[in-house]
Amino acid sequence: MLNEIGCGPCGIITLMTSPSATPVIVVGSVNMDLLFTGLPAIPRPGQTVTSDTFRIIPGGKGANQAAAAARLGATVPFVAAIGTDDLGDQAFAALEAEGVVLDQVRRVSQPTGVAAVVIDATGENAIIVNPGANAELRGADAVAVAARYAGSPAVVLACLEVPVDTVTAWARVARANGWTFILNPAPAPAEPLPAELLGLVDILTPNETELEALGTTRSLHASGVGTVIVTRGGDGADLERPGEPVHHQPAFPATPVDTTGAGDSFNGALATALAEGLEIAAALEFAAATGALSTRAIGARDGLPTRAEVDASLAR
Ligand code: RIB
């Protein structure tokens, strides 16, 4: 939703965004991140390196996306599987603190997903994920949430850290309900995505590496993907739709400390803006501003901006 706010004597009208009731349903992964920072370099095969600091912090692409959207003011029902272990309790509590709606999170007997995240002195990172409980997320989980929101608008955001069959089930549910379905194809899939899934994606948001794994924007459009947004880090993002010129969104100025999770915050913000009714180019700008701000702190969530911070960045 856009509000017009006049600034009195200066006569300038500022457009501010504000939260809406349309939910952003996030279907995705939950990890606890084992974070090693200050490495002299990302280790090569056979090499041992020493890190300056070590922390265990909440992560997982889906959970980061949900937290990003909630911090921006969205109502975020989250669909995920978390272990009943101590790490799962920590992951759950962190999402609860962000105000994410957690009644569709299943606690399962498998260990909570974990990720080893290593960051060198230049901010470069490498990540190893063990999915654990995330592999237990099933398409059947879609039914209860779908029933709750049927008949009203919604935006569904999914990533590929959960089984692709589950993502496809959600894409079907989204299409059947007329909801916008955003797929963040991260991490890059090892195998081609099912044709059915691609045909159900409204907006695909690969980074450059993920796009290489998936084909080209042209081949994706031919597979039925309506809109492709390619994120290019410091080079901004390109919005590509069949038959339209490419719309380039420049990157917002940032001095990144850690880019881990920047894509997740971008996607959470994109979904939030679309749920509020922004048109796609404005939603992309909102997402780019959010993603840039998120790189200001170490870890996937510490840098996530509030609504006011994003609005201030957009107004600059
Ligand atoms: O996108 C960043 C995330 O990727 C980390 O939080 C880690 O858990 C991995 O899933």
Side-chain angles (χ1 to χ4, degrees), residues 205-212 215-217 228-240 246-252 259 262-263 266 284 288:
T205 58
N207 64 20
E208 291 164 296
T209 311
E210 290 148 6
L211 179 61
E212 256 175 50
T216 62
T217 49
V228 180
I229 295 176
V230 184
T231 55
R232 303 187 187 280
D235 291 329
D238 289 327
L239 165 63
E240 303 193 33
V246 174
H247 169 80
H248 179 67
Q249 170 61 52
F252 278 72
T259 59
F266 176 98
L284 172 56

Side-chain angles (χ1 to χ4, degrees), residues 16-43:
M16 303 283 284
T17 51
S18 68
S20 86
T22 299
V24 173
I25 302 170
V26 178
V27 180
S29 53
V30 178
N31 296 329
M32 287 301 289
D33 289 354
L34 315 182
L35 177 69
F36 301 80
T37 58
L39 272 62
I42 305 293

Side-chain angles (χ1 to χ4, degrees), residues 82-85 108-113 132-134 136:
I82 303 182
T84 48
D85 47 11
V108 298
S109 57
Q110 281 73 10
T112 296
N134 294 307
E136 294 303 306

Side-chain angles (χ1 to χ4, degrees), residues 201-228:
V201 173
D202 295 306
I203 303 172
L204 190 76
T205 58
N207 64 20
E208 291 164 296
T209 311
E210 290 148 6
L211 179 61
E212 256 175 50
L214 291 165
T216 62
T217 49
R218 183 186 287 225
S219 69
L220 289 165
H221 288 146
S223 302
V225 176
T227 298
V228 180

Side-chain angles (χ1 to χ4, degrees), residues 183-200:
L183 177 60
N184 174 223
E191 315 218 326
L193 292 178
E196 183 197 1
L197 173 58
L198 287 174
L200 293 168

Side-chain angles (χ1 to χ4, degrees), residues 29-33 57-62 64 114-117 127-129 161 186-187 259-264 299-301:
S29 53
V30 178
N31 296 329
M32 287 301 289
D33 289 354
I57 56 173
K61 294 185 193 305
N64 297 339
V114 286
V117 181
I127 302 179
I128 304 167
V129 173
E161 272 188 340
T259 59
T260 311
D264 304 333
R301 297 203 204 152

